Amino acid sequence: AASSGEEAIRIASQRSCEIAFIDVKMPRMNGLETFLRLKEVNSGMVTVMMTGYGDEVRETVDKALAASATACLHKPFDLASAVDIVSRIKTR
């Protein structure tokens, strides 16, 4: 778990991470910036975006999905949806 985009990048730089769940709207570094930087650190990492802001961040979500984010979960999301995404990723 990381409390910021910067911390997520630092963690991913120091250890192997397979999946990242990234909040789209964060202070200092937004989710898209975090996602793009994580791809530089680990191009094979699977990324799932998350947001509770809907249309307000639609363009940012679309850019992340176009750049290979796996999915976007909209808050509040059902935990089963997250488990389903992880299960599909693991069976690839």
Side-chain angles (χ1 to χ4, degrees):
S3 61
S4 68
E6 295 88 352
E7 185 179 2
I9 293 160
R10 187 172 52 256
I11 290 169
S13 300
Q14 296 171 350
R15 60 181 126 147
S16 177
C17 301
E18 294 180 43
I19 301 173
F21 283 82
I22 303 173
D23 202 335
V24 174
K25 196 167 184 177
M26 298 185 292
R28 294 188 310 272
M29 180 185 295
N30 72 30
L32 178 61
E33 293 172 88
T34 301
F35 165 66
L36 295 172
R37 298 270 308 274
L38 285 171
K39 279 182 55 171
E40 292 173 7
V41 172
N42 179 347
S43 62
M45 183 184 303
V46 173
T47 306
V48 177
M49 307 305 287
M50 305 180 301
T51 187
Y53 291 93
D55 287 340
E56 182 181 332
V57 296
R58 182 170 309 282
E59 184 178 333
T60 302
V61 169
D62 289 346
K63 286 179 181 178
L65 293 171
S68 77
T70 299
C72 182
L73 294 171
H74 295 273
K75 298 176 188 177
F77 56 85
D78 180 46
L79 185 56
S81 298
V83 171
D84 181 57
I85 289 171
V86 171
S87 295
R88 285 186 282 138
I89 292 166
K90 289 293 194 175
T91 59
R92 285 185 186 174

